[in-house]
Amino acid sequence: MHDRLDISMRANHVFFWILVIVALVFAAFASFSGDVFYLRLATEALILGGLALSIDILLGFTGLLSLGQALYFGIGAYVSALVLREEPSFWLAMGAAGVSVLLAGIAGGLIANRVRGVYFALITFGMAQVVAKVVYNSRELGASDGLIGIPVIEIPLGLITLSAGDPLGFFLLTLVIIALLYSVSAYLLGTPFGRIIIALKANEKRVPYLGYSTWAARMAAYVLAAVIAGLAGALYPMLRGFVSPELLFFATSGDALIMVIVGGAGTLAGAIWGAVILTMLKSVIGSWTEHHLIVIGLIFMSAILFMPKGIVGMLKPFVERNLLRNSARQPKPEPERTAL
Amino acid sequence: MTDIMQVEGLCIAFGGLKAVDGVSFTAERNKITTVIGPNGAGKTTLFNLISGALKPSGGRVIIKGKDVTGKGPAALQEAGLARSFQITNLFFEMTVRENLRLAAQRLEPVRQALLPLRRHGRAADKVTALIERFGFAEKAHEIVAALSHGEQRRLEIAMCLASEPQVLMLDEPTQGMSHGDTEDTAQLIRSLTDEVTILLIEHDIGLVMSLSDHVVVMHQGRKLAEGIPAEVRADSAVQAAYFGHG
Ligand SMILES: Nc1ncnc2c1ncn2[C@@H]1O[C@H](COP(=O)(O)OP(=O)(O)O)[C@@H](O)[C@H]1O
Ligand SMILES: [Mg+2]
């Protein structure tokens, strides 16, 4: 027998693997048919999936509702863009974005973690709006136009060199990076550190008596989420060749939150599924009608009413039951000990 | 030194109400010290002051010679203290095993906090032993919310032991339990004195008299009397205030 939390995480992995397989099949079809538009769109969906993933760590595991996660996504994107304009190096851009967003996450966490609940949500919202407005009004950062003319970079990956301008290659690279972010998140949630994060959501008041500072645990989760959002954001200018203040706006944070809820909060894989589904829907519905926001809004409302656990959250119990049955069938010499 | 904990003149007031008003006592190592008193006497508040849930406005708490007054619950856990709650306070959506695992993980060095759980043998062994000892083998993978009240109360005690504390504070551990469960819990508490010093709040007077080495009686925030059970029972002030018809 395994802990429920372990089984739950393994079920998440199943959904993530299905996503990877679907992505690879899609990539094969797209490259055969010579498609560029949908490969680019799918790459964007995965990048937004990284943002959604970071929201899920907070909402689905720590129990914190961030309404301004686009702040870190945007900072990652802008720092990456600024670096790439000076020095078209993938690794430098990712490194600089990672460090900036780590520092920004610490600063933002020090502010937002002074309060709880609704106030936390409002502060995260406020911080993102303030920074977005500052960027919007800074000529050095391209003001409302954003930063354009980011060069198409060559990405050295040891044996091969990949061009960000190659739709298939960059799609696959993004898939690998999102898979890494997913794996790191899933790994950390399976450690004693991760269990404390999960305990915060389950019953924050009990955590101090286990010998842990709830503030420090919340802070760590917040900074982790910021870094994940920022690293995903750093890929954005490589894909689109520009960044704009919209990346920091509430529309971005709110969309990503919808992705998490539609996909299934607390499932990690659901966040990325949600990003893929919503991005595709937006594009498809957008080609039918100008009023795609109304349609998306209606879909979101019905998702909450009829699938409150989200798509992955709804399907997960079936997978968990199977995993439990399989792990029960395997004879274990020392069951209690190997269970952990 | 046989005193493991000294409480000196602890005070706190809520608005005008002096909930705990200059209470002092000492707890002897590996003994059971029980705090009794009518409802609202300030027993839980006294526990809150000792365990760091509330900051006292006056007085001191000393554990193993170290002044821990005003420190938070996490620091007191570090100092070797564990407490249970009058109102069951567990991780209800998690399983019995996961709850115990959380409580046991402080046994491992903090620098291993980022290693996978299966690499933490000491905590895992502790959890396995507690599941055995508390009779949770059948229910180890049950969600805590699905346990009976008695089982939840028992898990509260097991959670406290998971971190191998030196001082264990139990706030009405038998509250709401059936007669049989109460008897079992008393047995269990008695068996714990080999490992820990116990500070107990208990309503069942029969239990208090049979379990306690030392009794502290509280009334309206103040300490009314203290002594061995027989002395306290014979005290006329205690009889008037607590036993009512004495
Ligand atoms: N946080 C609080 N705020 C205000 N009053 C409180 C608080 N905690 C306890 N009290 C009051 O202090 C008194 C003692 O309560 P408590 O310590 O719970 O009593 P006991 O555990 O002995 O039944 C009661 O009158 C209670 O209403
Ligand atoms: Mg009480």
Side-chain angles (χ1 to χ4, degrees):
Chain A
M1 283 288 273
H2 285 77
D3 278 3
R4 262 169 201 262
L5 288 168
D6 292 336
I7 294 281
S8 166
M9 193 54 85
R10 279 168 52 193
N12 298 340
H13 295 342
V14 170
F15 288 97
F16 187 75
W17 274 113
I18 298 173
L19 183 93
V20 169
I21 292 165
V22 169
L24 291 176
V25 170
F26 161 78
F29 272 111
S31 64
F32 267 119
S33 64
D35 163 76
V36 173
F37 177 79
Y38 281 105
L39 264 175
R40 288 285 185 194
L41 189 67
T43 310
E44 184 169 318
L46 288 178
I47 292 173
L48 291 171
L51 173 59
L53 183 69
S54 82
I55 291 180
D56 193 27
I57 290 174
L58 296 177
L59 182 67
F61 292 88
T62 325
L64 294 172
L65 173 61
S66 164
L67 294 178
Q69 206 57 14
L71 171 59
Y72 304 108
F73 185 77
I75 291 175
Y78 267 83
V79 170
S80 169
L82 287 169
V83 170
L84 292 175
R85 292 216 302 189
E86 297 303 317
E87 175 72 44
S89 158
F90 173 80
W91 296 107
L92 190 63
M94 291 304 278
V99 171
S100 315
V101 103
L102 175 73
L103 298 175
I106 292 171
L110 287 172
I111 298 169
N113 280 320
R114 298 172 66 87
V115 291
R116 307 288 162 81
V118 177
Y119 302 100
F120 176 88
L122 290 176
I123 286 219
T124 53
F125 171 81
M127 288 193 305
Q129 291 301 100
V130 167
V131 174
K133 281 291 171 208
V134 168
V135 170
Y136 193 87
N137 291 315
S138 299
R139 198 121 40 84
E140 301 74 29
L141 294 172
S144 60
D145 294 335
L147 297 170
I148 51 171
I150 289 144
V152 176
I153 54 168
E154 298 294 311
I155 304 167
L157 296 168
L159 295 177
I160 52 163
T161 294
L162 201 148
S163 166
D166 165 17
L168 179 65
F170 194 65
F171 173 76
L172 293 175
L173 176 67
T174 303
L175 184 62
V176 168
I177 290 172
I178 295 302
L180 280 176
L181 295 180
Y182 171 88
S183 308
V184 168
S185 310
Y187 171 83
L188 287 175
L189 288 167
T191 63
F193 160 74
R195 285 289 165 95
I196 292 302
I197 300 293
I198 297 168
L200 283 180
K201 183 178 180 218
N203 183 0
E204 177 171 344
K205 288 198 164 53
R206 185 70 175 79
V207 171
Y209 298 92
L210 303 174
Y212 295 93
S213 149
T214 53
W215 181 86
R218 250 182 298 126
M219 195 65 191
Y222 188 84
V223 173
L224 171 69
V227 169
I228 288 174
L231 289 177
L235 296 170
Y236 189 89
M238 301 177 194
L239 173 72
R240 292 300 185 199
F242 71 93
V243 290
S244 64
E246 279 81 40
L247 292 178
L248 292 145
F249 283 173
F250 177 67
T252 308
S253 296
D255 275 359
L257 188 59
I258 293 177
M259 291 166 184
V260 172
I261 290 168
V262 167
T267 66
L268 293 185
I272 302 166
W273 270 110
V276 170
I277 291 166
L278 246 79
T279 307
M280 294 299 157
L281 272 180
K282 258 191 182 173
S283 164
V284 171
I285 297 168
S287 65
W288 294 340
T289 160
E290 274 173 55
H291 305 297
H292 68 281
L293 285 180
I294 297 177
V295 180
I296 296 286
L298 289 173
I299 289 175
F300 178 52
M301 282 159 58
S302 26
I304 288 188
L305 288 175
F306 301 113
M307 288 192 308
K309 293 187 163 176
I311 294 167
V312 171
M314 190 179 64
L315 299 173
K316 209 169 131 173
F318 301 104
V319 176
E320 285 176 328
R321 225 166 294 151
N322 266 308
L323 289 171
L324 264 177
R325 214 174 300 137
N326 287 341
S327 78
R329 216 179 286 140
Q330 284 163 17
K332 294 252 169 72
E334 207 192 334
E336 287 301 342
R337 187 60 199 274
T338 45
L340 278 159
Chain B
M1 191 181 73
T2 60
D3 291 348
I4 191 163
M5 180 162 91
Q6 285 109 347
V7 171
E8 295 171 5
L10 278 184
C11 293
I12 195 169
F14 301 115
L17 174 79
K18 288 179 174 169
V20 173
D21 189 6
V23 173
S24 307
F25 66 92
T26 59
E28 256 183 83
R29 201 178 284 271
N30 293 61
K31 293 279 164 37
I32 300 179
T33 303
T34 307
V35 182
I36 65 171
N39 256 329
K43 305 180 297 293
T44 297
T45 307
L46 176 68
F47 264 34
N48 286 340
L49 292 174
I50 296 171
S51 66
L54 290 171
K55 264 194 212 277
S57 58
R60 297 201 302 164
V61 179
I62 293 158
I63 295 178
K64 289 184 286 169
K66 254 185 35 198
D67 190 337
V68 292
T69 317
K71 295 233 164 76
L76 276 140
Q77 194 277 346
E78 194 87 14
L81 189 113
R83 75 166 288 190
S84 76
F85 295 82
Q86 182 172 0
I87 298 161
T88 309
N89 190 358
L90 297 162
F91 300 97
F92 292 96
E93 306 145 44
M94 297 191 192
T95 66
V96 171
R97 194 188 179 86
E98 285 160 355
N99 268 268
L100 290 170
R101 188 63 187 71
L102 263 173
Q105 71 183 30
R106 262 312 203 143
L107 294 176
E108 306 280 348
V110 176
R111 69 190 135 78
Q112 290 185 20
L114 296 181
L115 292 179
L117 283 181
R118 77 184 109 80
R119 300 278 292 278
H120 295 75
R122 185 152 170 240
D125 290 345
K126 188 81 205 171
V127 171
T128 306
L130 284 169
I131 284 175
E132 188 77 14
R133 178 171 184 182
F134 281 76
F136 282 123
E138 297 284 302
K139 306 236 166 169
H141 295 281
E142 290 271 344
I143 296 286
V144 168
L147 298 182
S148 73
H149 176 75
E151 287 166 337
Q152 290 181 354
R153 297 305 291 166
R154 204 144 37 97
L155 183 57
E156 276 266 353
I157 303 177
M159 289 286 278
C160 294
L161 289 175
S163 59
E164 298 183 353
Q166 281 146 305
V167 178
L168 174 60
M169 303 172 72
L170 302 172
D171 193 345
E172 302 203 19
T174 65
Q175 189 223 57
M177 275 190 181
S178 69
H179 192 75
D181 281 354
T182 302
E183 210 28 66
D184 291 347
T185 307
Q187 285 280 340
L188 175 77
I189 292 172
R190 204 170 284 126
S191 76
L192 294 176
T193 49
D194 294 341
E195 306 151 51
V196 287
T197 303
I198 294 175
L199 207 59
L200 181 67
I201 297 177
E202 181 53 60
H203 257 314
D204 185 325
I205 285 302
L207 212 68
V208 173
M209 294 301 151
S210 68
L211 267 181
S212 316
D213 296 297
H214 189 78
V215 179
V216 176
V217 188
M218 281 184 76
H219 184 53
Q220 295 178 348
R222 290 168 174 273
K223 185 175 78 179
L224 194 62
E226 69 175 314
I228 61 169
E231 279 171 7
V232 164
R233 194 201 265 280
D235 190 301
S236 59
V238 175
Q239 295 206 344
Y242 191 54
F243 298 109
H245 42 262

